[in-house]
Amino acid sequence: QVQLVESGGGLVQAGGSLRLSCAASGRAFGSYNMGWFRQAPGKEREFVARVSWTGVISYAEAVKGRFTISRDNAKNTVYLQMNSLRPEDTAVYFCAAVLRPNYNNYNYWGQGTQVTVSS
């Protein structure tokens, strides 16, 4: 079992930056594949970025070159650095986890943190 708590959301102007954090409780954080997702009003939840337990990283096309995912296993935390934010990045951002060797079928989710980008 792992519990996830996101933080770092807020209101920012277009072009600005935010850093989201996801703190995980429970054991063996280093064995979990971690992901960030987002859900905008009226839209389905979508993939943003993932970092595997081995450190392999992938991004959605919409955020490539602007967002950076990282993890600190010593702190049981995964981060999402978001630069050059756009109004279309406005959404609730969720952290997710799944124990290896599973990869995409995340079964642990945080409560989400709101990111609002004004134009």
Side-chain angles (χ1 to χ4, degrees):
Q1 283 276 5
V2 63
Q3 290 79 45
L4 305 172
V5 179
E6 302 97 333
S7 61
L11 174 64
V12 64
Q13 287 189 333
S17 298
L18 282 174
R19 187 196 196 201
L20 304 184
S21 299
C22 172
S25 62
R27 298 187 298 174
F29 173 77
S31 295
Y32 283 82
N33 294 310
M34 303 298 298
W36 284 99
F37 292 76
R38 66 187 182 185
Q39 187 167 19
K43 294 188 177 181
E44 293 188 353
R45 187 157 53 190
E46 65 176 3
F47 165 75
V48 174
R50 68 168 63 93
V51 55
S52 76
W53 70 282
T54 59
V56 175
I57 288 172
S58 61
Y59 297 98
E61 285 296 325
V63 306
K64 271 184 183 178
R66 301 188 297 123
F67 290 10
T68 303
I69 189 171
S70 61
R71 66 188 297 162
D72 185 337
N73 289 341
K75 295 183 178 179
N76 281 16
T77 301
V78 62
Y79 304 98
L80 186 68
Q81 177 66 44
M82 305 185 296
N83 298 330
S84 302
L85 282 162
R86 305 167 180 169
E88 54 264 38
D89 294 317
T90 295
V92 178
Y93 283 70
F94 297 90
C95 175
V98 62
L99 184 63
R100 67 176 178 96
N102 296 305
Y103 191 64
N104 281 328
N105 50 333
Y106 295 93
N107 55 343
Y108 297 104
W109 294 85
Q111 82 289 348
T113 185
Q114 177 70 48
V115 171
T116 302
V117 184
S118 63
S119 57

